[in-house]
Amino acid sequence: MIAEDLKRRAEDLWEKYVKHEFVERMRDDTLPVDSFKFYLVQDSLYVEEMVRSVIRAAASMPFDMAYEILSKIVLNRDKGMEVHGQLERELGITGKGKMTMTTYSYTRHLIYASTLGWPQFLAAWTPCMWGYSFIGKYVVATKNMYFKRWAEFYASDDYMERVSVILKSLDRFNGDASELSDLFKASVKYEIMFWQSALDNEPTI
Amino acid sequence: MIAEDLKRRAEDLWEKYVKHEFVERMRDDTLPVDSFKFYLVQDSLYVEEMVRSVIRAAASMPFDMAYEILSKIVLNRDKGMEVHGQLERELGITGKGKMTMTTYSYTRHLIYASTLGWPQFLAAWTPCMWGYSFIGKYVVATKNMYFKRWAEFYASDDYMERVSVILKSLDRFNGDASELSDLFKASVKYEIMFWQSALDNEPTI
């Protein structure tokens, strides 16, 4: 599987991402709720640009792939947005907020990748989507009810189905995985920076 | 002048950029030559993407502006490339090198800005071009012959003429400077990260 190959090429970084201090602290319930709120605000801003990039990239996909990704992922976001929206309301998050340099940089990378072609875009998108299924399953054991509800969504079969669509699509790439490695790796690095940014309370632009 | 307005809105950051520790250490000749070499390698990678972005942005400029920017800046880079090339040869820099996340992020930002329209692109481009004329004039007093030759180019009238083309072009924007402020500010932040990255010897992707 191409995604496995890409993950192997970034193995050390991958561990730093899916077992980041932010993740560990959600699991053992020592993460300050303000860091979680900070994360949710930046994540909403991130997801908005991510979805636009998926749609842009879909325009250059084989039609059956575009159809599956648009219908099963982009147009099927209700559950995820519902969990996100509920958490935001309960935690008193209002308004959109501004991006940090980390969120801005990561989303510019996705926008860029979305103009290169579908294999390039999928390689850049996979760390976020796939990584969260590992993280969800890991964090779901937490005692904190906010973090648990957040994790339950990413640990769900519903979510894993979406990830499978991406992994399966990526496998249709005929080239060598090494061509996609830097895009994948850059996203893993951005994911690490994304967690760190929430722990550090990074200023917005 | 719109550029002055944008600089005022980012005043604290601007000072951190043009008087960054890296700059101070070039001036007082305490910068390790390896940090300077690191910088030169990343700067070459940056400039290549910057020039591509200028050309892309030129496609949506009024024709006289595109003509002036392409002829006076893009196609008139001999002197700068000559200084850069000489320094690279004398310092034993061979090959292209790979980008750091900082260089990658900054150049993705320029690529993005180049698709928004000419005022947006010029706002994102100005901190680099204009800032280096301040930095050149400041660093040129150094006793280090490498840093001095580097600075002499950016302190020159030849370089200032190019900067003037950009500042004058930006003044043709009819909208409110506040619309361009975040793009300008993001570039100033990337410039600060760019110096810091060379001091820290940031890993490549």
Side-chain angles (χ1 to χ4, degrees), chain B residues 13-20 23-24 127 130-132 134-135 138-139 192 195:
Chain B
L13 291 167
W14 186 266
E15 284 304 304
K16 284 184 188 157
Y17 157 38
V18 298
K19 295 280 173 73
H20 191 278
V23 175
E24 296 287 1
W130 196 23
Y132 270 47
F134 289 90
I135 294 164
Y138 187 67
V139 172
I192 296 168
W195 292 135

Side-chain angles (χ1 to χ4, degrees), chain A residues 103-158:
Chain A
T103 306
Y104 181 76
S105 298
Y106 190 1
T107 51
R108 292 325 95 169
H109 161 63
L110 289 184
I111 292 170
Y112 168 71
S114 74
T115 66
L116 298 178
W118 64 264
Q120 289 72 20
F121 179 73
L122 294 181
W125 188 26
T126 295
C128 165
M129 294 295 286
W130 197 22
Y132 270 48
S133 72
F134 291 90
I135 294 165
K137 290 183 187 89
Y138 187 67
V139 172
V140 81
T142 183
K143 294 198 180 92
N144 182 299
M145 285 303 117
Y146 294 123
F147 307 158
K148 196 182 192 70
R149 269 160 53 210
W150 177 86
E152 275 168 352
F153 170 65
Y154 296 107
S156 68
D157 291 344
D158 178 26

Side-chain angles (χ1 to χ4, degrees), chain B residues 56-118:
Chain B
R56 194 179 305 107
S60 57
M61 287 174 190
F63 187 68
D64 63 321
M65 188 190 291
Y67 185 85
E68 204 179 6
I69 283 183
L70 291 174
S71 62
K72 296 200 179 156
I73 305 179
V74 174
L75 306 175
N76 186 26
R77 291 171 58 232
D78 297 3
K79 182 83 183 98
M81 286 170 73
E82 205 180 284
V83 174
H84 218 287
Q86 275 174 7
L87 287 169
E88 289 195 334
R89 275 190 300 280
E90 290 173 34
L91 292 165
I93 297 169
T94 53
K96 271 192 61 166
K98 283 191 74 175
M99 286 188 184
T100 60
M101 285 294 278
T102 297
T103 307
Y104 180 76
S105 299
Y106 190 1
T107 50
R108 292 325 96 169
H109 160 64
L110 288 184
I111 292 169
Y112 169 71
S114 73
T115 66
L116 298 178
W118 63 266

Side-chain angles (χ1 to χ4, degrees), chain A residues 98 101 104-105 108-109 111-112 182-183 185-186 189-190 193 203-205, chain B residues 98 101 104-105 108-109 111-112 182-183 185-186 189-190 193 203-205:
Chain A
K98 283 191 75 172
M101 285 294 279
Y104 181 76
S105 298
R108 292 325 95 169
H109 161 63
I111 292 170
Y112 168 71
D182 281 352
L183 287 161
K185 216 193 243 184
K189 288 198 173 192
Y190 281 126
M193 290 160 67
T204 56
I205 293 173
Chain B
K98 283 191 74 175
M101 285 294 278
Y104 180 76
S105 299
R108 292 325 96 169
H109 160 64
I111 292 169
Y112 169 71
D182 280 353
L183 288 160
K185 216 193 240 184
K189 288 198 172 192
Y190 281 125
M193 290 160 66
T204 56
I205 292 173

Side-chain angles (χ1 to χ4, degrees), chain B residues 112-177:
Chain B
Y112 169 71
S114 73
T115 66
L116 298 178
W118 63 266
Q120 288 73 19
F121 179 73
L122 294 181
W125 189 25
T126 296
C128 166
M129 295 294 288
W130 196 23
Y132 270 47
S133 72
F134 289 90
I135 294 164
K137 291 184 187 90
Y138 187 67
V139 172
V140 81
T142 183
K143 293 199 180 91
N144 182 299
M145 285 303 119
Y146 294 122
F147 307 158
K148 196 182 192 70
R149 268 160 54 211
W150 176 87
E152 274 168 351
F153 171 65
Y154 296 108
S156 68
D157 290 343
D158 179 25
Y159 184 77
M160 196 57 217
E161 258 174 62
R162 303 180 201 187
V163 175
S164 303
V165 170
I166 300 171
L167 302 183
K168 197 183 64 185
S169 301
L170 189 54
D171 267 342
R172 288 168 63 178
F173 176 57
N174 281 322
D176 193 287

Side-chain angles (χ1 to χ4, degrees), chain A residues 59-73:
Chain A
S60 57
M61 287 174 190
F63 187 68
D64 64 322
M65 187 190 291
Y67 185 85
E68 204 180 7
I69 283 182
L70 291 174
S71 63
K72 295 198 180 157
I73 306 179

Side-chain angles (χ1 to χ4, degrees), chain B residues 24-79:
Chain B
E24 296 287 1
R25 292 177 74 178
M26 282 200 282
R27 183 180 155 103
D28 66 18
D29 194 14
T30 59
L31 183 75
V33 74
D34 278 347
S35 301
F36 187 62
K37 284 165 75 170
F38 184 101
Y39 158 78
L40 284 179
V41 169
Q42 293 300 315
D43 191 54
S44 291
L45 295 166
Y46 168 85
V47 167
E48 189 176 325
E49 289 296 328
M50 182 193 85
V51 171
R52 280 186 210 285
S53 295
V54 176
I55 297 171
R56 194 179 305 107
S60 57
M61 287 174 190
F63 187 68
D64 63 321
M65 188 190 291
Y67 185 85
E68 204 179 6
I69 283 183
L70 291 174
S71 62
K72 296 200 179 156
I73 305 179
V74 174
L75 306 175
N76 186 26
R77 291 171 58 232
D78 297 3
K79 182 83 183 98

